[in-house]
Amino acid sequence: STQSTWAGALVPGGGPLSLSGRLGYPGLVLWEQSFESARDVFHYEELLSPEGTKRWLSSLYKHGFNVVKQVPTASAGFVQHIAQRIASPRATFWGPVFEVQSVPNPTNLSLTGLELKSHTDFSWSESPPGVQFLLCRKFRPVEPRKSGDGDTPHSGDSPHTVSSSTAGMETGIGMESGIGMHHHKQQQKQLGGQTVVVDGFRVAEELRKLYPEDFDLLTKVRLPFQFRSPHQSYYIEAPVLVVDRSGDVASVRYNQANRTTLRVPAALVCPVFSALRRFTELVRSRRFEVRFHLDEGDLLIFNNRRLLHGRTAYDPQLVERHLEGCYVDYEDFLSCLRVNDLYE
């Protein structure tokens, strides 16, 4: 029938591709918590050569994320220079570069020290960014300024200063392997502010295996996502999961903080909420989380349409945490992969 032919989605040079012919995420490696110790780490100098850049890009496509260490942090906006190795950063209403740090009167949960549950960015956008860059410019403990100790600070000064005794802790200066590194990691864990990443494709496949009807609902029901501020108002209805012609999950759109009033037939309300609850439970399960701290000079790069990201809570009165970020569109990422013979 016309309906079944249309639903089959013709592939070039052939008929409908059935689920039995799925390619199974060609070129990708899906992962869970055990990947924590095996994740790819690069050094900034490696990105300065064409061969190193290709290895970095290949890793990013394969695993959905990696970390580049020893990135210069002295200059504001430097993160966009690395993004330009793929393409020009996508401008948003925050500009080409945005800041993530605790601020007074925050307009976004990321601008606090509260726990940030795993999510994808711009779930309310018609076309969410494809690749996100987050450069850690500061992650260090702070100490209250002692009253009567030294000169009176100017009104523009920070109410906290970094003690010289901790200056090497956040950069790893003078730190040796073994016991020193273990102590460093223990100190970091106590400070909070750990980065959390989750492979959305892996979680979606677990949902498909355990609750196939829920998986089906999240690929078909369009959920409402919204972002509003005094100067912006964005709204879209879209499925949480999008599958490609082979049946593989191609993108994830998930942010509980941006989801607004459900608009579906009454008979679907309970099934949709049940599917969302099960997907959320999997996303927030420690089994699927990879956690690590970003040191100063560490750059996290990830596929925003595959990975969900978040962070553990921290106290801004005790920890100074400052990230600088930007986005690159997904089609630009794929273009870069093709030019480097890493994607067909």
Side-chain angles (χ1 to χ4, degrees), residues 296-335:
E296 295 184 5
D298 284 0
L299 172 64
L300 170 65
I301 311 101
F302 61 93
N303 180 348
N304 181 58
R305 297 191 182 185
R306 173 180 172 182
L307 260 67
L308 300 92
H309 67 287
R311 64 142 192 267
T312 61
Y314 70 97
D315 186 347
Q317 298 299 314
L318 302 176
V319 179
E320 187 176 11
R321 185 179 188 269
H322 179 195
L323 307 184
E324 185 178 76
C326 65
Y327 302 104
V328 165
D329 279 323
Y330 196 63
E331 63 180 351
D332 290 334
F333 176 51
L334 293 182
S335 171

Side-chain angles (χ1 to χ4, degrees), residues 14-192:
L17 185 64
S18 67
L19 287 180
S20 62
R22 285 181 56 200
L23 299 176
Y25 301 95
L28 304 186
V29 172
L30 276 55
W31 47 264
E32 47 191 66
Q33 184 190 5
S34 59
F35 189 60
E36 207 162 74
S37 60
R39 60 189 176 87
D40 287 345
V41 176
F42 295 83
H43 290 268
Y44 175 66
E45 291 79 7
E46 295 181 68
L47 272 61
L48 301 181
S49 71
E51 296 79 13
T53 297
K54 287 187 71 170
R55 289 194 298 271
W56 166 62
L57 289 170
S58 177
S59 164
L60 181 56
Y61 176 68
K62 183 178 181 180
H63 299 124
F65 84 104
N66 53 43
V67 172
V68 177
K69 303 185 78 67
Q70 299 177 345
V71 176
T73 60
S75 301
F78 187 79
V79 66
Q80 63 186 320
H81 294 294
I82 299 182
Q84 285 168 350
R85 295 187 174 277
I86 295 177
S88 296
R90 168 174 168 172
T92 71
F93 49 73
W94 289 304
V97 175
F98 59 87
E99 312 288 329
V100 181
Q101 58 185 328
S102 179
V103 299
N105 304 314
T107 57
N108 190 296
L109 192 60
S110 65
L111 303 180
T112 71
L114 299 174
E115 178 187 12
L116 198 57
K117 296 292 188 182
S118 295
H119 63 283
T120 60
D121 275 11
F122 281 54
S123 59
W124 39 264
S125 172
E126 182 180 56
S127 179
V131 179
Q132 183 169 171
F133 296 73
L134 287 173
L135 173 62
C136 180
R137 296 190 65 195
K138 287 185 181 179
F139 183 84
R140 60 183 66 175
V142 294
E143 292 183 356
R145 188 186 297 273
K146 296 179 181 179
S147 59
D149 193 17
D151 296 331
T152 302
H154 298 290
S155 59
D157 285 351
S158 167
H160 303 94
T161 57
V162 182
S163 67
S164 58
S165 62
T166 62
M169 194 276 286
E170 66 274 2
T171 59
I173 297 172
M175 193 168 50
E176 298 179 357
S177 60
I179 296 175
M181 179 62 73
H182 176 73
H183 181 61
H184 170 64
K185 290 183 177 179
Q186 286 297 109
Q187 283 182 308
Q188 283 187 319
K189 192 171 183 179
Q190 293 172 2
L191 292 175

